[in-house]
Amino acid sequence: MRNDIEGILLSEAQIQARVKELGARLAEEYRDKNPVMICILKGSTMFFADLLRAMPIPLTMDFMAVSSYGRTTKSSGEVEIRKDLAGSIEHRHAIIVEDIIDSGFTLTYLSRMLSARGAKSIRICTLLDKPARRAPGITLKADYSGFEIPDAFVVGYGLDYAEMYRNLPYIGILKPEVYEKN
Ligand code: PRP
């Protein structure tokens, strides 16, 4: 796999240090709130697992899977829910945990949809933010963000290309020849 990577954008040590900082901040702010942490499958699994272990407070976890077809129907920005949350978030403080904000369609849709379910609060925690890619008209901002990154094709630490590379412990830039040959 390493041969397909042009360079390392964020090392394992950089990621782990930043995730611990984010976890400590969230733990402080949510100490008495018993938040429900929402993992958006599959990209945020690694971040979610490390972030929650850096939060030594009472919390629960839930999972949701959405399709990325929001990005191909840019006019509507609609997102298809493939797997919904198992539990209710009514009267809960919810934190949506994402690996990356790109166009912003997915999280704009999700935060609106989950707001309608009567949560006490909804905040967004993303590991990566690519502000240069934000779609016109999208004003969404993360409440907690690990790193702002340039518009490069990144994989690893949960992020994939064609479902591969998610298990790399760092975030790397994929060589263009890997995705250009398909
Ligand atoms: C990625 C990522 C976000 C979304 C961000 O998911 O995890 O959910 O795209 O893009 P946007 O800001 O342009 O909406 P993807 O659909 O690739 O699924 P995955 O997490 O299973 O890889």
Side-chain angles (χ1 to χ4, degrees), residues 89-123:
I89 59 165
E90 201 179 356
H91 309 308
R92 298 289 304 276
H93 292 283
I95 304 173
I96 305 174
V97 181
E98 260 289 23
D99 52 336
I100 189 164
I101 306 181
D102 197 347
S103 68
F105 279 135
T106 305
L107 275 172
T108 298
Y109 180 89
L110 277 181
S111 49
R112 274 188 202 143
M113 193 198 77
L114 295 177
S115 298
R117 296 187 183 184
K120 266 191 194 145
S121 68
I122 295 183
R123 285 194 178 153

Side-chain angles (χ1 to χ4, degrees), residues 76-96:
S76 71
E78 291 249 326
V79 172
E80 184 192 353
I81 306 297
R82 294 232 170 108
K83 180 213 172 302
D84 206 341
L85 298 173
S88 165
I89 59 165
E90 201 179 356
H91 309 308
R92 298 289 304 276
H93 292 283
I95 304 173
I96 305 174

Side-chain angles (χ1 to χ4, degrees), residues 40-44 66-68 71 98-107 158 160 163 166:
I40 309 301
L41 299 168
K42 305 171 187 166
S44 69
V66 300
S67 84
S68 56
R71 259 168 294 164
E98 260 289 23
D99 52 336
I100 189 164
I101 306 181
D102 197 347
S103 68
F105 279 135
T106 305
L107 275 172
D160 73 310
E163 295 299 329
R166 294 191 197 272

Side-chain angles (χ1 to χ4, degrees), residues 54-73:
M55 294 176 65
I57 61 165
L59 56 78
T60 62
M61 52 171 92
D62 210 337
F63 298 83
M64 184 174 243
V66 300
S67 84
S68 56
Y69 93 164
R71 259 168 294 164
T72 54
T73 54

